[in-house]
Amino acid sequence: MRLLVACEYSGAVRDAFIARGHEAMSCDLLPTDVVGPHYQGDVRHVLEGWMPVQHTMDCDPEDTGYCGQWGLMVDECFCPGPTQDEMEYTEVEGRLFARPVKSPHWDMMIAHPPCTYLASSGLHWNRRIPGREALTEEALEFVRLLLDAPIPRIALENPVGRISTAIRKPDQIVQPWWFGDDASKRTCLWLKNLPALKETSRLPGDDKTRRANQTPSGQNKLGPSEDRWKLRSVTYPGIAAAMAEQWGG
């Protein structure tokens, strides 16, 4: 299966699917935290099944047979080269992309659009900071773009927030502690041609139980820092594994 993981730099979901034999590529404006198939750029460039073409000078400059960019042996890299048969090519903003002729589109996309201007926890600032409401509307348009992508199976995740009222209610809300991770983080899933996730390793307790990532008052334990948003946005491994096992079967 060809899978696009949109707006992911951690590699958590991407690598969970790769471990099960799928062709998965993550995409984000940020570089990937873990070496692996990743396009650093605008997801609009790759939504229709395109992948960046890897030249030898980029992938294996020392001619060792090892792809330094993706952490794979060159013959295991599924990223297309510049002259392969059965591939079609296009150029976008000076970058060459390719996709297989026989299966040009992604089979599935799992998307994690930024929640800064969408999550309920921050929407109160829209009434206090001029221009912030416009940023929320811009974020909603991006969500609509992802949900309307020409991909047969789509899962989009975000915290509880504006998507539920401006677009539609989620198909499911999950918690990391349903999948073996001692953490509380209500995560909404909007699904297209995919079943709801089934719990795998539910931990004792309920929604009122204080988890390892929470203070006694129920707030997130992470203190203010420049990368706090980044740490909080990473998909928990139990949920990533459940996605790969249940949706990648």
Side-chain angles (χ1 to χ4, degrees):
M1 183 171 62
R2 297 186 68 217
L3 170 75
L4 173 64
V5 187
C7 311
E8 181 188 62
Y9 46 80
S10 69
V13 175
R14 176 198 70 200
D15 291 348
F17 276 83
I18 288 177
R20 287 159 179 80
H22 299 287
E23 283 187 12
M25 183 184 80
S26 55
C27 172
D28 197 84
L29 296 177
L30 297 174
T32 180
D33 286 348
V34 180
V35 174
H38 182 77
Y39 173 59
Q40 184 180 353
D42 192 331
V43 71
R44 295 171 180 85
H45 297 167
V46 295
L47 271 184
E48 295 189 356
W50 300 103
M51 301 178 69
V53 168
Q54 291 280 25
H55 295 267
T56 302
M57 66 185 73
D58 300 323
C59 183
D60 182 17
E62 304 298 328
D63 196 24
T64 61
Y66 181 79
C67 175
Q69 284 198 339
W70 284 11
L72 299 168
M73 298 305 293
V74 172
D75 59 2
E76 297 175 351
C77 284
F78 58 83
C79 193
T83 57
Q84 287 180 237
D85 294 333
E86 303 300 323
M87 302 292 288
E88 58 180 331
Y89 294 86
T90 188
E91 187 173 318
V92 181
E93 297 182 3
R95 181 79 186 265
L96 188 62
F97 294 83
R99 63 185 183 184
V101 174
K102 291 184 179 179
S103 55
H105 294 290
W106 301 106
D107 298 303
M108 184 189 303
M109 176 175 68
I110 299 175
H112 313 270
C115 65
T116 304
Y117 302 109
L118 296 171
S120 293
S121 58
L123 290 177
H124 65 95
W125 291 110
N126 288 18
R127 298 189 300 272
R128 307 178 188 184
I129 300 177
R132 203 176 189 280
E133 181 63 31
L135 294 175
T136 293
E137 290 303 316
E138 184 178 320
L140 286 169
E141 283 304 307
F142 184 57
V143 169
R144 293 185 181 98
L145 173 78
L146 294 174
L147 290 175
D148 292 339
I151 300 172
R153 293 183 289 280
I154 294 175
L156 185 142
E157 69 85 25
N158 230 243
V160 175
R162 183 64 70 83
I163 299 175
S164 299
T165 55
I167 299 178
R168 67 177 176 87
K169 293 185 180 300
D171 297 286
Q172 184 181 21
I173 299 178
V174 299
Q175 283 276 17
W177 54 271
W178 295 4
F179 304 92
D181 292 303
D182 187 14
S184 178
K185 181 184 177 184
R186 294 184 73 208
T187 302
C188 298
L189 296 175
W190 288 264
L191 305 174
K192 172 185 173 182
N193 295 327
L194 286 170
L197 286 177
K198 298 178 182 178
E199 300 176 15
T200 57
S201 303
R202 188 184 183 100
L203 299 181
D206 55 24
D207 284 335
K208 297 180 180 179
T209 303
R210 290 291 168 257
R211 303 294 171 179
N213 69 326
Q214 294 179 294
T215 64
S217 64
Q219 302 301 308
N220 192 283
K221 189 180 292 184
L222 289 172
S225 67
E226 291 184 358
D227 61 351
R228 183 173 187 261
W229 65 272
K230 189 174 183 181
L231 295 172
R232 291 186 64 179
S233 67
V234 174
T235 302
Y236 282 91
I239 292 180
M243 289 176 171
E245 291 169 2
Q246 297 177 36
W247 295 342

